């Protein structure tokens, strides 16, 4: 490769030929039926969703905006629709231990049906039971029971009265009860007459009264027992009436759910509890006056309700749930409380399901970043997956933070496939620092950032554009517009031989191109509309770039584009602001003097140098010593600085420019300021590829173009970066006209030759360089410095 010949214009951009397409617009292109370039990732998704073993959950890796959610969702929609519907899960009241609700598993759709049946049963009984107990028949039977016991009591009293009458004793009924008194002709003897009776008669009367009193006490003693018997008979009557009212209803339900023993057991418990609480159905609504307000309390009959946690029968197949706000409660579920008269109370009907309940038997999709941001959510998710059950427990209970009486629901068995979406950083950090992660998420689906650029992928991209246009109601794209989108995709990929898989940016470009096409009243989107959308995107974000370039034009930031200066070179840095990146030309200077082999990186000394940049400076220092000071001390002290740089510098893409500036200073060979340099250097002097090569070339071009192109300006790039070139059209036009040049260099010698116009010089068998070459001058200067150093030390060799 001849280093001083610039790249041909056709190598500066890998254009997409619209002639390769046979269609006129994308209206003639069929929809995309396959997934572009993600075979590896989709094979992993397919495997992870098919295997039904513990721990084989998925982690989908990739950058945001690549369409991972959409692709995985589409695949799972198709797969889940053919899978069996999961069972319904419900909570029922535990009549023996109300604080421990029971979980009930039902066939798909049966949960909602059971809830509706129980609601209808309660509604029916609420209206039917009061009617039964207000009927004439019920009153008659109650009256009969009352009358029977009254008659028995009256018979006993009548027998006592007859016995007393024989003994001339009368039984008196007073408000305080019964009393016995002597009588004559069935009339009580007055006290004054009783006193006139003989003592013998008085003694007989007292004996008879005592006997009758004992008999009366026996009669009265039997009254409580008879009242209990009467109450029991009334309760039995109520029981029979209640049982007759609910028996036929529950028998109908028993026939419907005959094949479900757990439901039949629930019906038995409901029947038993309803009979015991028959009075609840007879009570009317009550009103309570609180602070002047009348509050009507209703009987809720919560005990007989069915709390359906998950029911997926409305959509065929397995459920697919995406939880956008994965808090602990939203994942695991929660027990809610309501305030009643200043106290917090709860009930099993207040148990609310989480995403794990709703996705049980199917797939749960989560964003790992959102999960990790929520306190305790990640630990709760792992605990559920490890135990294969969902245990609803509040954080307050877990950590003993509150003492509010709550429920202890029976855990729900869990069978779910969890799919996590996240950046690669999260995946590798979790693998490194969370030992449980690799046990629970054994399948990684790593999405490609780019795909190879071929004629086949070009047509697939055209199908993608056609599919998006039809799906979103966009105008069709003509083949020139399709070619423009493909070139934009390659530019986004940062590689002329690749296409970006960042679907969000591509879709945004398609929508914005459609906007500009409609604004121009076009029937189809043209290449000019696509370019206008690209320009508009840049225009919305380039305010800071314009201010920076304005400062350069006004010489506030000193960047030379003409002349030659020793020890000074134009480097190229890149600033990234959100989704927009642009180059910042920066002046790099080098100075040298007698020293002890120290190479001072001023940025590093003031802590403005990142680790990668510092590494690059150490490498160029090593190269300098290895090439020029193999057999003598490096009696040099040099300094490198990024002039007018006040922020952090990182990356090694300036190491080539820094080395060129240092060699220029040592050789006293001025560097052409119309050239800018980018590239990293290794210890062997080879130039290595760097990133953002397109932005760097265009940034320096914009500065030169604003000042006026002279035909000598250009940029030196690593030869390995030629395959990445996708430059703007105005840069290519300038290169075609010979006004701007892009040079590809493979090593430091080619770079320094281009920058100084002097030959670098190749070493001979003895390690010497041709006189007048850059390497000769550098070696001579270092030898001179070494001699000076030895003279200061008394000419004593080291």
């Amino acid at each position: 490769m001849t280093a001083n010949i610039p790249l041909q214009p056709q190598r500066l951009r890998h254009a997409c030929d619209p002639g390769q397409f046979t269609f006129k617009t994308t209206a003639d292109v069929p929809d995309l039926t396959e997934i572009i370039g993600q075979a590896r990732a989709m094979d992993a998704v397919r495997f992870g969703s098919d295997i039904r073993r513990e721990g084989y959950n998925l982690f989908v890796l990739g950058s945001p905006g690549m369409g991972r959610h959409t692709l995985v969702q589409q695949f799972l929609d198709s797969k889940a629709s053919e899978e069996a519907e999961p069972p319904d899960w419900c909570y029922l009241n535990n009549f023996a231990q109300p604080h421990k609700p029971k979980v009930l598993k039902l066939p798909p759709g049966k949960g909602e049906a059971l809830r509706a049946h129980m609601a209808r049963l309660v509604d029916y009984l609420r209206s039917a039971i009061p009617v039964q107990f207000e009927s004439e028949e019920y009153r008659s039977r109650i009256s009969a029971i009352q009358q029977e016991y009254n008659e028995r009591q009256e018979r006993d009293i009548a027998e006592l009265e007859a016995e007393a009458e024989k003994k001339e004793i009368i039984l008196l009924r007073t408000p305080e009860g019964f009393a016995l008194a002597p009588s004559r002709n069935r009339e009580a003897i007055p006290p004054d007459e009783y006193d006139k009776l003989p003592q013998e008669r008085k003694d007989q009367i007292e004996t008879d009264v005592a006997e009758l009193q004992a008999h009366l006490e026996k009669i009265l003693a039997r009254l409580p027992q008879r009242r209990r018997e009467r109450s029991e008979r009334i309760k039995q009557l109520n029981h029979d009436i209640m049982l007759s009212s609910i028996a036929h209803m529950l028998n109908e339900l028993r026939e419907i759910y005959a094949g479900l023993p757990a439901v039949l057991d629930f019906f038995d418990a409901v029947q038993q509890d309803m009979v015991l609480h028959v009075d609840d159905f007879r009570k009317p609504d009550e009103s309570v006056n609180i602070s002047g307000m009348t509050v009507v309390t209703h009987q809720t009959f919560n005990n007989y309700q069915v709390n359906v946690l998950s029911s997926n029968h409305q959509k065929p197949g397995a459920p697919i749930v995406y939880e956008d706000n994965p808090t602990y409660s939203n994942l695991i579920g929660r027990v809610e409380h309501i305030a009643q008269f200043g106290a917090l109370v709860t009930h099993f009907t207040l148990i609310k399901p989480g995403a794990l309940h709703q996705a049980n038997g199917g797939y749960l999709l989560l964003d790992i970043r959102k999960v990790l941001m929520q306190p305790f959510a990640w630990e709760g998710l792992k605990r559920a997956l490890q135990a294969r059950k969902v245990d609803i427990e509040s954080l307050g209970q877990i950590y003993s933070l509150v003492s509010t009486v709550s429920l202890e629901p029976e855990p729900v068995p869990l069978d779910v496939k969890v799919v996590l979406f996240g950046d690669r950083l999260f995946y590798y950090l979790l693998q490194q620092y969370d030992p449980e992660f690799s046990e629970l998420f054994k399948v990684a689906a790593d999405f490609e950032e780019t795909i190879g650029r071929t004629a086949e992928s070009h047509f697939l991209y055209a199908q993608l554009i056609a599919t998006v246009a039809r799906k979103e109601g966009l105008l069709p794209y003509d083949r020139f517009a399709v070619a423009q989108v493909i070139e934009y995709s390659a530019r986004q990929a940062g590689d002329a031989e690749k296409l970006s898989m960042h679907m969000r940016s591509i879709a945004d470009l398609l929508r914005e191109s459609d906007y500009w096409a409609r604004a121009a009243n076009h029937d189809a989107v043209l290449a000019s509309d696509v370019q206008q959308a690209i320009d508009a995107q840049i225009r919305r974000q380039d305010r800071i770039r314009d201010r920076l370039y304005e400062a350069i034009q006004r010489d506030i930031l000193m960047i030379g584009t003409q002349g030659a200066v020793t020890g000074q070179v134009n480097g190229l840095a890149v600033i990234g602001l959100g989704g927009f990146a642009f180059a910042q030309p920066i002046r790099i200077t080098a100075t040298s003097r007698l020293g002890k082999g120290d190479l001072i990186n001023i940025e590093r000394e003031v802590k403005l140098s990142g680790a990668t940049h510092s590494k690059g400076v150490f490498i160029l220092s090593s190269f300098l010593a290895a090439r020029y000071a193999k057999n003598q001390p490096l009696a040099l002290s040099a300094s490198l600085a990024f002039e007018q740089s006040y922020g952090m510098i990182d990356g090694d893409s300036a190491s080539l420019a820094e080395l060129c500036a240092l060699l220029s200073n040592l050789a006293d060979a001025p560097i052409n300021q119309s050239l800018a340099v980018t590239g990293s250097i290794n210890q062997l002097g080879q130039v290595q590829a760097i990133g953002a090569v397109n932005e760097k070339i265009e940034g320096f071009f914009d500065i030169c173009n604003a000042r006026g192109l002279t035909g000598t300006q250009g940029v030196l790039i690593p030869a390995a970066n030629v395959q990445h070139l996708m430059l703007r059209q105005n840069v290519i036009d300038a290169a075609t006209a010979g006004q701007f040049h892009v040079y590809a260099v493979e090593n430091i010698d080619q770079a320094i030759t281009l920058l100084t116009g002097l030959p670098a010089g190749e070493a001979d068998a003895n390690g010497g360089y041709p006189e007048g070459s850059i390497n000769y001058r550098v070696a001579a200067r270092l030898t001179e410095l070494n001699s000076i150093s030895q003279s200061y030390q008394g000419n004593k060799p080291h």
Side-chain angles (χ1 to χ4, degrees):
M1 174 182 176
T2 304
N4 59 354
I5 298 178
L7 295 174
Q8 295 298 312
Q10 59 268 24
R11 300 189 65 187
L12 304 182
R13 183 184 184 91
H14 184 180
C16 179
D17 181 13
Q20 66 183 297
F21 300 124
T22 58
F23 58 86
K24 184 177 180 181
T25 70
T26 54
D28 306 324
V29 179
D31 281 345
L32 188 66
T33 57
E34 59 182 290
I35 297 173
I36 303 177
Q38 302 294 357
R40 179 190 291 108
M42 294 312 296
D43 285 344
V45 172
R46 190 175 295 106
F47 167 76
S49 60
D50 282 343
I51 188 170
R52 294 295 174 180
R53 298 289 181 180
E54 186 175 353
Y56 281 86
N57 298 294
L58 290 99
F59 194 109
V60 180
L61 295 77
S63 302
M66 293 177 59
R68 296 167 300 161
H69 281 269
T70 302
L71 293 178
V72 173
Q73 181 85 40
Q74 289 176 351
F75 172 79
L76 293 180
D77 283 340
S78 175
K79 184 178 187 301
S81 62
E82 300 175 357
E83 296 180 359
E85 295 181 16
D88 290 354
W89 292 97
C90 310
Y91 271 121
L92 304 177
N93 182 43
N94 185 343
F95 294 98
Q97 295 178 296
H99 68 289
K100 294 184 177 181
K102 293 182 178 180
V103 69
L104 175 65
K105 178 182 178 182
L106 293 173
K110 289 294 186 180
E112 295 288 352
L114 179 61
R115 176 165 61 184
H117 281 137
M118 293 306 298
R120 284 198 294 269
L121 173 64
V122 171
D123 287 342
Y124 167 76
L125 294 178
R126 289 185 64 184
S127 59
I129 296 303
V131 171
Q132 291 282 352
F133 285 95
E134 293 173 2
S135 65
E136 190 65 33
E137 178 185 359
Y138 175 75
R139 293 175 181 172
S140 299
R141 296 177 66 177
I142 290 294
S143 298
I145 294 173
Q146 296 280 12
Q147 184 176 354
E148 177 183 348
Y149 282 92
N150 290 338
E151 288 176 353
R152 290 176 61 183
Q153 181 176 345
E154 291 299 326
R155 282 199 300 271
D156 291 343
I157 297 299
E159 292 176 358
L160 179 61
E161 287 179 335
E163 183 181 352
E165 185 177 353
K166 293 178 182 178
K167 297 179 180 182
E168 293 184 346
I169 303 295
I170 187 172
L171 180 64
L172 302 176
R173 303 192 186 202
T174 67
E176 289 79 15
F178 294 94
L180 294 170
S183 65
R184 182 186 299 122
N185 298 324
R186 298 182 179 180
E187 293 288 339
I189 299 174
D192 54 345
E193 293 184 13
Y194 177 79
D195 294 337
K196 297 177 181 179
L197 292 176
Q199 186 61 40
E200 183 179 354
R201 176 59 179 158
K202 288 181 180 180
D203 294 340
Q204 182 62 44
I205 290 174
E206 289 179 359
T207 301
D208 293 341
V209 168
E211 292 178 356
L212 293 173
Q213 184 67 34
H215 190 181
L216 177 61
E217 290 177 355
K218 290 180 180 180
I219 293 175
L220 295 177
R222 288 197 295 267
L223 288 180
Q225 176 64 26
R226 287 179 176 174
R227 291 193 187 99
R228 287 194 295 271
E229 291 177 0
R230 180 180 61 187
S231 177
E232 290 299 324
R233 287 189 60 183
I234 292 175
K235 285 183 179 179
Q236 185 62 41
L237 174 62
N238 294 341
H239 176 280
D240 294 341
I241 292 176
M242 185 67 178
L243 191 59
S244 65
S245 299
I246 66 174
H248 72 281
M249 292 288 293
L250 283 177
N251 288 337
E252 291 179 3
L253 295 181
R254 288 187 176 99
E255 292 179 3
I256 297 174
Y257 298 93
L260 301 172
V263 179
L264 299 181
D265 292 342
F266 173 63
F267 289 156
D268 292 341
V270 166
Q271 177 174 307
Q272 182 179 1
D273 190 77
M274 282 183 170
V275 170
L276 291 176
H277 297 86
V278 60
D279 290 340
D280 292 341
F281 289 89
R282 298 176 60 185
K283 290 179 181 177
D285 294 338
E286 299 177 352
S287 60
V288 179
N289 190 286
I290 302 177
S291 300
M293 295 187 300
T294 301
V295 179
V296 179
T297 60
H298 304 274
Q299 293 291 336
T300 58
F301 302 100
N302 288 328
N303 290 348
Y304 315 120
Q305 295 183 23
V306 177
N307 185 357
V308 181
L309 290 182
S310 63
S311 181
N312 303 286
H313 67 285
Q314 296 180 352
K315 184 178 180 181
I320 301 174
V321 177
Y322 173 67
E323 179 54 60
D324 185 56
N325 184 28
T327 63
Y328 177 86
S329 298
N330 287 349
L331 285 176
I332 307 300
R334 62 190 182 278
V335 178
E336 294 183 343
H337 292 73
I338 57 176
Q340 286 186 355
F341 305 109
L344 292 177
V345 298
T346 188
H347 195 268
F348 81 96
T349 59
L350 295 176
I351 299 174
K352 303 301 178 183
L356 286 170
H357 296 99
Q358 296 166 349
N360 204 359
Y363 304 89
L364 176 60
L365 281 55
L366 299 169
D367 188 313
I368 184 61
R369 178 177 174 273
K370 294 180 179 179
V371 174
L372 295 176
M373 287 179 65
Q374 298 294 339
F376 310 105
W378 176 240
E379 292 301 321
L381 176 64
K382 290 192 299 181
R383 190 183 304 115
L385 292 177
Q386 288 170 331
R388 299 183 66 82
K389 62 183 180 181
V390 188
D391 196 349
I392 300 178
E393 191 174 11
S394 71
L395 293 173
Q397 290 176 283
I398 295 175
Y399 296 100
S400 302
L401 300 177
V402 296
S403 58
T404 303
V405 176
S406 189
L407 302 178
E408 300 176 16
E410 185 180 353
V412 176
L414 182 64
D415 178 21
V416 68
K417 187 74 70 172
V418 177
V419 182
L420 293 179
F421 295 87
D423 293 343
R424 293 178 179 86
L425 175 64
F426 289 114
Y427 178 79
Y428 293 116
L429 284 177
L430 288 170
Q431 273 212 330
Q432 180 70 26
Y433 296 107
D434 190 340
E436 297 171 334
F437 175 74
S438 57
E439 298 178 4
L440 296 174
F441 294 89
K442 298 178 183 291
V443 183
D446 198 349
F447 273 66
E448 297 283 357
E449 304 282 344
T450 61
I451 61 170
R453 187 174 171 186
T454 63
E456 180 183 2
S457 62
H458 282 182
F459 184 72
L460 290 174
Y461 232 76
Q463 285 186 286
L464 172 65
I465 295 170
T467 304
V468 174
R470 275 191 281 270
K471 180 180 178 180
E472 300 203 10
L474 308 179
L475 292 174
Y477 288 69
D478 73 5
R479 56 185 179 178
F480 295 94
V482 170
Q484 187 82 351
V485 173
I486 290 174
E487 292 181 13
Y488 170 83
S489 176
R491 173 61 183 258
Q492 292 295 104
D495 192 335
E497 298 177 3
K498 299 286 186 178
L499 292 177
S500 172
M501 294 305 297
H502 195 271
M503 293 295 103
R504 183 170 61 198
S505 61
I506 300 301
D508 289 344
L509 178 65
L510 296 179
R511 299 184 191 103
E512 294 174 27
S513 301
D514 173 80
Y515 168 82
W516 293 112
R518 293 180 187 274
N521 294 321
H522 294 161
D523 296 330
V525 178
L526 308 179
S528 59
D529 300 320
V530 177
Q531 187 59 50
Q532 188 171 3
I534 295 172
D535 294 341
Q537 286 181 347
I538 295 174
R539 175 64 177 166
R540 292 195 294 269
Q541 303 179 78
D542 68 352
R543 186 189 66 84
I544 294 178
R545 183 186 68 174
D546 286 352
R547 300 290 79 78
L548 178 65
Y549 288 0
E550 179 186 0
I552 294 175
Q553 297 303 327
R554 297 172 60 189
D555 291 327
I556 299 172
L557 294 178
M558 294 186 291
I559 300 294
T561 56
Q562 293 183 11
V565 181
T566 300
Q568 176 178 300
V569 68
N570 291 322
L572 295 169
V574 169
I575 297 176
L577 298 174
F580 180 60
F582 60 92
Q584 177 189 4
I586 193 165
R587 175 178 288 181
I588 300 174
T589 59
T591 60
S592 63
R593 55 207 170 274
L594 181 65
K596 299 180 180 180
D598 299 325
L599 181 59
I600 300 173
N601 175 9
I602 293 179
E603 312 302 321
R604 178 172 178 268
E605 296 301 317
V606 296
K607 296 182 174 53
L608 289 179
S609 174
T612 307
H613 175 252
S614 297
K615 177 184 177 182
V617 174
F618 283 126
I619 288 174
L620 72 87
S621 175
S622 175
F623 164 79
L624 191 70
R627 171 173 282 195
Y628 302 109
K630 288 183 179 180
N631 302 316
Q632 65 179 7
L634 189 61
L636 166 74
S637 181
S639 299
L640 294 171
F642 281 60
E643 305 294 351
Q644 293 184 289
S645 172
Y646 308 106
M648 181 64 67
I649 297 291
D650 202 4
D652 61 352
S653 64
S655 58
L656 174 60
E658 291 172 307
L659 180 56
C660 289
L662 183 56
L663 293 180
S664 168
N665 176 269
L666 291 171
D668 194 21
I671 287 179
N672 187 354
Q673 299 299 296
S674 62
L675 297 175
V677 183
T678 183
S680 70
I681 196 78
N682 63 21
Q683 293 190 105
L684 304 178
Q686 298 169 326
V687 179
Q688 303 169 139
I690 44 83
V693 65
N694 293 295
E695 288 80 1
K696 291 177 178 178
I697 295 173
E698 291 169 353
F700 191 68
F701 170 81
D702 289 338
I703 300 301
C704 295
N705 189 44
R707 290 178 172 175
L709 297 175
T710 63
T712 62
Q713 295 145 334
V715 177
L716 279 64
I717 66 170
N721 281 121
V722 173
Q723 60 190 318
H724 302 145
L725 295 179
M726 285 295 296
L727 295 173
R728 291 195 316 247
Q729 189 60 44
N730 61 343
V731 181
I732 298 173
D733 292 342
T736 303
Q739 296 296 305
F740 192 80
H741 310 286
V742 178
Y743 300 92
V745 295
E746 297 176 346
N747 52 56
I748 179 59
D749 291 333
Q750 293 177 355
I752 198 65
T753 298
L754 277 167
L755 291 171
T756 62
L758 298 175
E762 294 185 10
D764 57 22
N766 298 321
Y769 295 98
E771 189 173 350
S773 66
I774 294 293
N775 288 328
Y776 177 85
R777 292 188 179 190
V778 173
R781 174 59 176 161
L782 292 176
T783 300
E784 178 187 2
L785 291 173
N786 186 48
S787 298
I788 297 172
S789 175
Q790 289 186 6
S791 67
Y792 274 110
Q793 298 178 31
N795 295 322
K796 293 181 181 180
H798 291 281

